[in-house]
């Protein structure tokens, strides 16, 4: 049995060099699980600028090529900030499974942003399980999300 049931579209993955190893772990997990994904880079551990990869994933979500994504940089903050400039993206910086689950239930997050230099592979695994197995609760949370754009 798969760790979560995927929708029709591939999950978009993006990282900078500081998130590269964590993204590699996620790719290995998705390969083992038969989960479809698109890797928007970076593809080596050479130093790069996280917005270049955040925007590739953000554009794929804006263009409806992907419904969901996972983004990793060192702290998770930079890649999260860049992703949230995209109109269709609600990217949530998460560091444990409870926050990842609440990011879906309360914020209808469509990108899981991770601090690759801070979290362990086990924590990443647990966050992926929590994020992709939790549905949005709607109701008062939808009212609040509707007030986010300025
Ligand atoms: C790269 O050294 C680091 O600054 C970056 O991965 C990220 O943590 C920025 O928010």
């Amino acid at each position: 049995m798969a760790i979560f049931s995927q929708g029709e579209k591939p999950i978009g993955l993006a990282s900078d060099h500081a998130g590269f190893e964590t993204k590699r772990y996620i790719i290995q997990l998705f390969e083992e699980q038969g989960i479809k994904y698109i890797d928007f880079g970076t593809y080596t551990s050479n130093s790069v600028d996280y917005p270049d990869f955040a925007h590739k994933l953000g554009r794929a979500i804006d263009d409806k090529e992907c419904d969901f994504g996972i983004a990793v940089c060192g702290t998770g903050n930079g890649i999260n900030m860049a992703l949230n400039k995209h109109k269709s993206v609600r990217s949530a910086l998460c560091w444990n499974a409870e926050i990842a689950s609440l990011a879906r239930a309360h914020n209808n997050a469509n990108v899981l942003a991770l601090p690759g230099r801070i979290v362990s592979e086990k924590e990443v695994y647990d966050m992926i399980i929590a994020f992709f197995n939790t549905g949005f609760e709607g109701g008062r949370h939808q009212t609040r999300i509707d007030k986010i754009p300025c």
Side-chain angles (χ1 to χ4, degrees):
M1 179 132 141
I3 55 174
F4 61 87
S5 71
Q6 181 173 29
E8 270 173 37
K9 296 179 191 174
I11 293 169
L13 304 178
S15 79
D16 70 355
H17 56 288
F20 177 68
E21 284 304 324
T22 300
K23 180 162 64 68
R24 267 227 298 226
Y25 165 72
I26 294 166
I27 287 171
Q28 186 193 333
L29 176 66
F30 283 7
E31 291 281 347
E32 283 166 13
Q33 293 285 326
I35 293 166
K36 298 186 296 292
Y37 63 90
I38 301 176
D39 182 1
F40 292 102
T42 185
Y43 304 111
T44 74
S45 55
N46 296 338
S47 183
V48 291
D49 301 327
Y50 54 78
D52 295 338
F53 304 93
H55 292 316
K56 286 183 182 180
L57 173 56
R59 275 193 291 273
I61 293 175
D62 280 344
D63 294 346
K64 304 196 183 319
E65 186 182 2
C66 299
D67 289 333
F68 289 95
I70 303 176
V72 197
C73 70
T75 61
N77 267 322
I79 208 159
N80 187 52
M81 289 176 187
L83 271 154
N84 276 317
K85 295 296 180 187
H86 289 260
K87 63 178 179 349
S88 309
V89 170
R90 283 175 308 282
S91 179
L93 175 58
C94 298
W95 55 92
N96 68 35
E98 184 178 6
I99 293 168
S101 174
L102 287 168
R104 289 285 307 124
H106 289 188
N107 311 116
N108 201 13
N110 53 10
V111 175
L112 174 63
L114 299 173
R117 284 183 172 153
I118 309 293
V119 292
S120 67
E121 288 185 354
K122 168 78 168 79
E123 287 167 325
V124 170
Y125 179 86
D126 289 346
M127 284 190 273
I128 288 172
I129 302 275
F131 189 85
F132 288 101
N133 283 300
T134 303
F136 178 48
E137 289 177 9
R140 68 187 188 283
H141 301 298
Q142 184 61 56
T143 305
R144 292 162 188 169
I145 287 170
D146 291 342
K147 291 183 177 181
I148 291 176
C150 58

